[in-house]
Structure formats: C-alpha cells, structure tokens
Amino acid sequence: MFRTAARHRALVLALAVLGTTSLAACTAGSGQDGSRPGSTAAADPAARPDLRRFYGQRLDWRPCGDFRCATLTVPRDYDRPGDGETFALPVAKAATAVPGKRLGSLVLNPGGPGEPGVRLLKDGVADDIGKGVRERFDIVSFDPRGVGGSKPALTCLTDDRAEDEAREAHEVPLYPRTDAERADALADARATAAACRKASGPLLPHVGTDDAARDMDVLRAALGERRLTYVGWSYGTSLGTSYAEQFPRRVRAMVLDGAVDPSLDWRQRVLNQSTGFRDAVEEYADSCADVVGEACPGTTPGEIRALVDRLLDRTRREPLPVDGSEEGLDAAGLVSALSLSMYTPEAQWEGLSEALRAADGEDGTKLAALAAGDEETPDTDADTDADIDGDTTTDPDSDTGPAASEEPASDGPEDNSDAALMAVDCLDVPHPRDARAYWDALAPADRAAGVYGTSGVTSELVCADWPAGTRRPHRVHAPGVPPVLVVGTAGDPATPYDEAVSLARQFPGGMLLSFEAPGHTGYGRDACVDEKVEEYLVSLTKVRPGTTCAP
C-alpha cells in the first residue's frame, strides 16, 4: 500500500476502518455504449441535453505546488441535473514525465470511503508509481462528492457543541450485553445519525458510490479520454466496480486492489472483516519477531497474546492514562489501535510493539496516537492546500462557477472522513431498521472474531436510523467490460483475500493477482506486484491464472 497516513485513520467507533461495502445496483441487459442498463439515463449520458453541459466542460488546469489543479463540476442529483445544485470537486494531476510517450490519464482512488484523492497525490503517490507508468500517463486523482475539498462537503458537526459533546457521553462496551448497555449504544448511534442529518441532511441521499462513479465518467470526459484507466484501493474497488457496471465499454484498464465483494450483505461483511482483523492480530503475535526483531513486546507469540489479552482486560475495567487527555484509552481505543496497525506491517508493527510495551507500563499515550491515526505527521503546506482546494474552473452553465452549490469558501477542508464513511456505508448497503437484528448478530460475531466482531456490529448501528438507498447485494453485471485485474493480499485484514477471489470470478475475463503477505492491499508494497500491475496498465498484458507474488 502506498505510504499515506490518511489510510490509517480511526473512523467510526472501533472497527469501521476502510472496510465498508459499497454496492452497485443489480441490473440486466446492457446499455448501447456501456452506461448502466435500466437507469433513467439515456444510452449515452453525454448525449442527454440536461447532462451535456457537464460532459462538455474542460478542466482549467493551473499550477499548484508540484501539481496541476482544477475543479470538476457535477450535478448533485443526476435525475435532476438542471436544478442548479452541484458539487465542485477538486482534481489534481502529476503530468507525465515524458509527454512524447503519453498514453492518457491514470485516475486513482485511495479508498475510504472518505479519503480525498488530492491528498493522495500530495502524499507522494505519483513518485512511488513505476517509471514506465509515469512516462506514459498523467496521474490524476480527485476528492469524491462530499469528501475533503468537495464543495459542499459532508459534516456531522453541528453548531450546538453541547449536542456533540452529549453524543459522546456514553461509554459503550465492546460487547453490549445488558438492556442498559444496548440502550446506550442505540442512543449514541441515533444521536450520531441525527447530528449528521442536521448538519448534512440535503447531501446524504446524493453521496453514494453509483453517483461518485458517474462523476468519474464526467471526469473521464473532462480529461479528454475516450476510455478510463483506473486504479482503486480498498473502497476504491467498489467505486471501480460501480463504474464498470455502469460504463463497461468505457473501461480501458482497471486495477482493483483490496477488493470488496458486492454480493455480501452488511452482516456477512462485518463478520468477514472482523475475522480478518482478529487473524491479523494473531499473525502479528506469530510473526512479530520476523518483522521487527527485538522490538517485539514479548519473546514468544504466547507472551504477545497474553499482553494483548491483559491490556483488553485492563482497559475494560478502566482507561489507561494518556498524556494530555482526561478520558484516557479505553478498550475500544485499544481495538482501534490494534486494527489500524495491521494495514502495513513492515511500516507499523514496530510502532505498535513500542506502544504495547508502554501500555503494559500503564502509559496509553502511544496507543492512543495509533488509534487516532497519528503515527505520521501530515503535510501542512498551506500554499499547496489553498491551490488544490480552491475553485479553478467555472460552472459549465453559469457565470457563478462552482459556488452554485452555495457553500462558502473556507481556509481548507476539515477531515470529514468519518462522516463520509458513515454516509456512503449507510446509503450503499441495506441495513436493518430494527435494533434487534444487530443484537442478534452480536453472539455470532463474538464467536467468530471476539471483540473485533462485536465492535464491528455495534459500529453499524448508526445505519439503522439513516436515509436508506435502493441498492442490494448482488453479483457483478458488466457485460462487455475488458479484463479487470483484481489484486488480493493473503493476509489482508480489512478486505479479506476471499473477497478478491470472488470479485475476480464475477467479472467476465477477470484476472486475480495474489500477494502472499500480511497487510492491506498489494500495489505499492511489493516489486513483483508492481511489475504485474504496471505491465497491465501500460500494455494491457494479461495476468495468467494462478499468478502469485511473495515478498
């Protein structure tokens, strides 16, 4: 995985980290040019008179630090694109190193949902991509609708700070068993949903993955590309899958790394992912010495497991002290720190080991930093931020530019990844309205994955009181799409390997590239994976069945 601190944020409660399922609607038949069959759009959305002004825009690039930046304007509601409501989406690109060899644009999505793509470029992803790809493509990314520098952007913060503080008042255990504990968990979830509706209500029905994929087709057109070349990590595989289903004949090449299987329902997804995190922590205990040597917090796997269990028992009784915090680190924070440290073992396990040693000495400060995703210092280049987040084009049918969305300019986007994760998860994935369905899921989740499973279930409670979408779990339907490359990492905690196997089989001509290693995603972490992916991106070289890379 590319080295971006943004991928390691603690988002919603203990386990809602980069693993939400974004599903595309199940359809039959095929649009004439590959647009989503059965949608309200014509066969070619660009030909619709009410969408022509969006498809006809061209990006007005300007310098912004080491990049070129622009703004893409898209309709807020694709069913009513003429109502004047829009999203203005920041776009950034690193131009090809050898313009004479340029094949086109390579669009990237870093995952989430809720991670801004512009930040991905700022964090140096273009420099990590192989020379052969950088010579042939402009590397492009964007902030999806409602995310990061999008205007308007999602938020769950209200003007009533007392309300926000009250929403955080309950200390819900990892496994709420009593009626009182479950009432508190449900009250917290409902208060969170109510705050999000109050702060972002008009946006919530319009931030789903299908709409974001349609935005990506507008971006393709604005970039002047006939077909899309795309790499998506984690949730970005859901975005890519939705695009492939809606526009299969507009795909040139597509890499889906850290796959989300759209055929799973909310409960299957929670069980699959939470089991992945549990297994990853077990693998940490088994392989710590091989990865970080003497820094391990125990001399044997058994000692490390005993330490983790001891800390779980300790934090259930009382939070660990944390410098500068009155609340300290509770059991949910410990589970978050453990889970988030499973994404890139080679970069994170040493820091986790040091934090566990400190916690065993009654200091939870380092673990709290890991739980908050603070293991790296973000780039704070104010000039680049202002350029990338600023408006750089005009609305395609207005003299007022992207401000048609009537959102005031700000000094820079807040980190709204947790709000975006909830919004997309709850809109894309059908969730039960009755809380009993969640309580019924707790015991199976506990048997399957312990605290990782039960905390995963309770994190989904917020969706019980959220505006619902219309999509359902389904198998991919993308007739006419060219061969799609799915990358699956054997020890992936957030998007388990079996989902990559399943997704590759669901695509006609789908290809699976296996990476035998722990951690989340493969492209950007291993030379063998990078070589196979980049040969496919540049030359459309197919990956043979059974191809496997190992570190």
Side-chain angles (χ1 to χ4, degrees):
M1 182 172 59
F2 288 106
R3 298 184 293 276
T4 57
R7 295 197 197 181
H8 307 143
R9 308 299 297 272
L11 297 176
V12 185
L13 301 180
L15 269 193
V17 285
L18 288 181
T20 60
T21 311
S22 259
L23 307 178
C26 187
T27 56
S30 176
Q32 193 169 16
D33 77 329
S35 62
R36 174 180 291 278
S39 73
T40 57
D44 183 358
R48 282 176 49 180
D50 53 357
L51 289 177
R52 194 174 297 144
R53 64 192 183 101
F54 297 100
Y55 271 91
Q57 66 187 299
R58 287 294 179 265
L59 296 172
D60 182 14
W61 298 105
R62 70 174 186 179
C64 54
D66 295 331
F67 309 100
R68 307 284 293 178
C69 298
T71 299
L72 181 77
T73 305
V74 295
R76 189 176 300 185
D77 185 347
Y78 275 94
D79 289 335
R80 297 189 301 162
D83 65 3
E85 298 289 343
T86 62
F87 284 100
L89 308 181
V91 183
K93 87 175 168 182
T96 175
V98 185
K101 292 186 177 181
R102 183 182 182 276
L103 286 175
S105 299
L106 170 60
V107 177
L108 310 178
N109 179 273
E115 296 302 341
V118 165
R119 184 191 298 162
L120 178 73
L121 289 188
K122 286 184 56 186
D123 284 350
V125 68
D127 295 332
D128 289 337
I129 289 176
K131 178 181 177 182
V133 173
R134 287 285 291 112
E135 289 181 347
R136 308 305 294 272
F137 293 96
D138 297 333
I139 310 301
V140 178
S141 197
F142 67 105
D143 290 3
R145 53 176 51 214
V147 172
S150 164
K151 296 181 181 178
L154 289 160
T155 182
C156 290
L157 298 176
T158 69
D159 293 334
D160 187 348
R161 292 294 175 181
E163 176 183 322
D164 292 332
E165 291 172 4
R167 181 159 49 90
E168 300 170 359
H170 296 126
E171 291 187 6
V172 178
L174 295 174
Y175 188 165
R177 298 174 185 271
T178 68
D179 289 344
E181 289 171 345
R182 292 180 177 185
D184 284 347
L186 186 58
D188 279 2
R190 286 175 172 169
T192 298
C196 294
R197 287 196 304 270
K198 181 176 180 180
S200 299
L203 303 183
L204 298 182
H206 303 296
V207 294
T209 300
D210 275 351
D211 282 335
R214 297 186 74 171
D215 295 343
M216 201 154 63
D217 197 53
V218 175
L219 174 61
R220 173 202 58 77
L223 291 168
E225 303 293 346
R226 186 173 67 87
R227 294 190 296 165
L228 177 72
T229 303
Y230 174 79
V231 174
W233 292 270
S234 199
Y235 163 77
T237 68
S238 291
L239 183 60
T241 297
S242 178
Y243 185 91
E245 291 195 301
Q246 295 186 72
F247 310 102
R249 293 181 177 86
R250 290 187 184 155
V251 174
R252 174 189 170 272
M254 180 170 286
V255 177
L256 306 179
D257 185 3
V260 175
D261 183 350
S263 70
L264 303 182
D265 64 22
W266 76 273
R267 183 165 164 168
Q268 292 169 320
R269 168 111 296 273
V270 169
L271 289 175
N272 214 28
Q273 186 188 62
S274 57
T275 302
F277 278 111
R278 182 209 61 190
D279 292 347
V281 175
E282 289 291 306
E283 178 65 19
Y284 162 70
D286 288 336
S287 304
C288 181
D290 294 334
V291 177
V292 302
E294 295 181 359
C296 293
T299 58
T300 67
E303 286 184 7
I304 296 173
R305 290 189 180 92
L307 170 57
V308 171
D309 290 342
R310 188 162 64 247
L311 290 174
L312 279 170
D313 290 340
R314 165 70 170 80
T315 52
R316 282 192 183 103
R317 296 192 305 271
E318 183 181 7
L320 281 169
V322 172
D323 290 349
S325 168
E326 295 182 1
E327 292 80 14
L329 180 84
D330 61 9
L334 174 59
V335 170
S336 286
L338 289 166
S339 300
L340 291 168
S341 297
M342 296 300 108
Y343 280 71
T344 316
E346 62 270 25
Q348 295 179 294
W349 279 7
E350 184 171 356
L352 173 64
S353 298
E354 294 173 355
L356 289 172
R357 282 187 181 275
D360 201 31
E362 294 294 305
D363 183 358
T365 304
K366 290 183 177 180
L367 280 176
L370 294 179
D374 292 339
E375 73 273 24
E376 295 178 11
T377 303
D379 188 346
T380 56
D381 185 338
D383 293 336
T384 302
D385 282 347
D387 285 335
I388 288 181
D389 297 327
D391 296 331
T392 60
T393 67
T394 58
D395 185 281
D397 197 36
S398 168
D399 293 329
T400 61
S405 296
E406 298 182 356
E407 290 295 316
S410 65
D411 294 333
E414 68 178 53
D415 177 2
N416 68 345
S417 54
D418 53 351
L421 187 148
M422 286 187 291
V424 177
D425 182 23
C426 296
L427 186 65
D428 278 2
V429 185
H431 281 75
R433 294 298 187 188
D434 189 340
R436 285 178 294 185
Y438 301 88
W439 310 143
D440 290 344
L442 283 170
D446 182 49
R447 289 193 296 271
V451 295
Y452 306 96
T454 56
S455 58
V457 169
T458 55
S459 73
E460 298 293 309
L461 266 174
V462 68
C463 296
D465 206 33
W466 200 277
T470 59
R471 295 186 285 175
R472 296 293 181 269
H474 73 289
R475 293 183 65 80
V476 172
H477 185 80
V481 72
V484 169
L485 176 57
V486 179
V487 181
T489 300
D492 196 319
T495 52
Y497 176 73
D498 59 357
E499 296 193 38
V501 174
S502 176
L503 185 64
R505 289 173 176 168
Q506 291 175 47
F507 274 104
M511 303 175 293
L512 176 66
L513 173 60
S514 299
F515 179 38
E516 292 287 345
H520 184 43
T521 73
Y523 181 39
R525 292 181 56 205
D526 179 77
C528 170
V529 174
D530 295 353
E531 179 183 9
K532 300 298 183 184
V533 167
E534 293 174 359
E535 286 177 352
Y536 165 71
L537 289 172
V538 172
S539 303
L540 302 180
T541 303
K542 292 184 178 180
V543 172
R544 293 182 178 180
T547 300
T548 300
C549 293

